[in-house]
Amino acid sequence: MERGDLYVEPLSRGYAWLDTGTHDSLLEASEFVRTLQKRQGIRIACLEEIAFSNGFITRDQLLARGRQLAKTDYGLYLIDVAERALHAPHRAPAGE
């Protein structure tokens, strides 16, 4: 810090920093994620949803992936995201 090499980036609203350096803190972090996902109805770090939101994959690709995993809660979530996107107002993917 004295040399000026330290860079701090404050986390904005919607971010959480969870220490997972011990067994107890890892369990607490997993419980936090589970609770948040159940109560909010969202998936944390859902790669397909992130890719879709950023325009890296199409809605059809997202839907196809959801159908591949349709026997799981994760697959049903992907299908739901794709269906909600169909009925949402058009939003240009990132980069357009």
Side-chain angles (χ1 to χ4, degrees):
M1 184 166 68
E2 291 154 359
R3 291 190 317 258
D5 293 337
L6 179 64
Y7 175 77
V8 176
E9 181 70 37
L11 299 177
S12 63
R13 184 174 167 84
Y15 287 91
W17 183 266
L18 305 172
D19 180 14
T20 57
T22 67
H23 292 103
D24 285 339
S25 61
L26 181 59
L27 179 59
E28 288 172 5
S30 67
E31 289 170 345
F32 174 81
V33 168
R34 180 176 176 262
T35 300
L36 188 65
Q37 288 186 159
K38 280 189 153 218
R39 289 186 182 171
Q40 299 293 321
I42 59 170
R43 296 289 176 143
I44 295 176
C46 175
L47 299 181
E48 292 88 351
E49 183 178 20
I50 294 167
F52 174 65
S53 295
N54 285 289
F56 302 137
I57 64 173
T58 66
R59 181 190 163 277
D60 288 341
Q61 289 171 312
L62 177 65
L63 190 55
R65 182 66 174 151
R67 287 180 178 150
Q68 286 176 331
L69 302 170
K71 292 183 179 180
T72 68
D73 287 341
Y74 189 79
L76 296 175
Y77 177 76
L78 296 179
I79 292 169
D80 184 57
V81 170
E83 293 299 324
R84 281 187 281 129
L86 180 64
H87 303 300
H90 175 70
R91 199 179 83 207
E96 277 190 27

